[in-house]
Amino acid sequence: MKKKLLYLVILLAAIYGGKYAYDMHINHNFETITEGKVYKSGVIPPDEIEDYVKKYGIKSVIDLRFPGTGDDVNNPEVPAELLAEKEAVSKIEGVTYFNNGSDQVPQKHNLDMFFKIMDDQDNYPVLIHCYHGVGRAEMYSAIYRIEYEGMDRDEARTSTRLLTKWSSFDLGTPKGDFLHTYIGRKDSIK
């Protein structure tokens, strides 16, 4: 019995590890947030971005990266890479590139720019991405769900990933607490 359980745990770890490797390195953590409207990902190499744009009808790319994050291990955001992406997107007819370089927890000016982009229906479908697609892209995807789909802020927070507990979106973390206490634009008017 113990041996079967051990094999099951190893099998599940292998499956999850394989899915993680596929998502991270082949699929670039690409995910549908709202079919036909909003997608999120990590960096898609410039020579592959046109394929994603065409497949999903993407009209706007919101790049949340910016150089100088000070986190060169987890987010090695090199100016040349940002420029290469911007140039690649500029060659795709009908697609607009927006750079909204953001910290892991958005500042007001980042949110203002994000809302300006997302308020314009001509920008849809939109691809939101950061370096890995699991931090800032998930944060802004959650904000999108709160602001534009009326999702509860904690539901949006916990829908950022399969397991929120012990992640950077858990309560007691800067991202988790930001979303947990987030006051949407409609609620702030009241």
Side-chain angles (χ1 to χ4, degrees):
M1 180 67 170
K2 286 182 181 181
K3 204 173 201 178
K4 285 183 181 181
L5 183 60
L6 178 63
Y7 285 137
L8 179 62
V9 168
I10 290 170
L11 177 64
L12 290 175
I15 290 169
Y16 182 76
K19 181 181 177 345
Y20 174 79
Y22 172 80
D23 284 347
M24 188 69 158
H25 300 290
I26 296 171
N27 195 35
H28 313 293
N29 280 328
F30 189 91
E31 183 181 323
T32 300
I33 301 304
T34 302
E35 186 70 43
K37 290 189 89 173
V38 178
Y39 303 91
K40 73 98 187 157
S41 74
V43 174
I44 299 172
D47 62 330
E48 294 179 34
I49 198 156
E50 187 171 7
D51 295 337
Y52 281 85
V53 164
K54 287 182 177 178
K55 182 175 181 178
Y56 296 95
I58 293 166
K59 291 186 181 177
S60 300
V61 175
I62 302 174
D63 185 353
L64 299 171
R65 301 173 299 155
F66 63 99
T69 60
D71 184 3
D72 295 336
V73 174
N74 295 315
N75 297 304
E77 297 165 342
V78 179
E81 291 174 357
L82 275 71
L83 291 174
E85 177 179 301
K86 183 178 180 179
E87 185 178 314
V89 171
S90 73
K91 293 177 182 176
I92 307 170
E93 190 174 331
V95 180
T96 306
Y97 172 87
F98 298 96
N99 183 272
N100 187 16
S102 177
D103 291 317
Q104 295 293 323
V105 173
Q107 296 179 27
K108 184 180 179 332
H109 70 275
N110 295 113
L111 292 173
D112 290 344
M113 181 176 183
F114 181 70
F115 297 144
K116 185 176 180 181
I117 296 164
M118 301 307 280
D119 286 347
D120 185 345
Q121 291 302 306
D122 291 337
N123 289 328
Y124 289 86
V126 175
L127 171 63
I128 303 167
H129 86 83
C130 58
Y131 190 78
H132 295 291
V134 296
R136 292 165 288 182
E138 288 180 344
M139 171 66 81
Y140 282 84
S141 297
I143 293 168
Y144 166 79
R145 287 174 164 158
I146 295 165
E147 293 286 351
Y148 297 91
E149 296 182 349
M151 188 179 279
D152 172 79
R153 61 187 177 212
D154 277 315
E155 183 181 358
R157 178 182 63 80
T158 58
S159 71
T160 57
R161 53 188 59 186
L162 182 62
L163 183 62
T164 308
K165 191 71 177 159
W166 303 296
S167 80
S168 61
F169 286 92
D170 195 2
L171 293 178
T173 67
K175 286 189 256 187
D177 290 348
F178 177 86
L179 287 172
H180 178 68
T181 60
Y182 181 81
I183 297 172
R185 296 184 293 171
K186 292 175 187 167
D187 294 330
S188 66
I189 295 171
K190 293 178 184 176

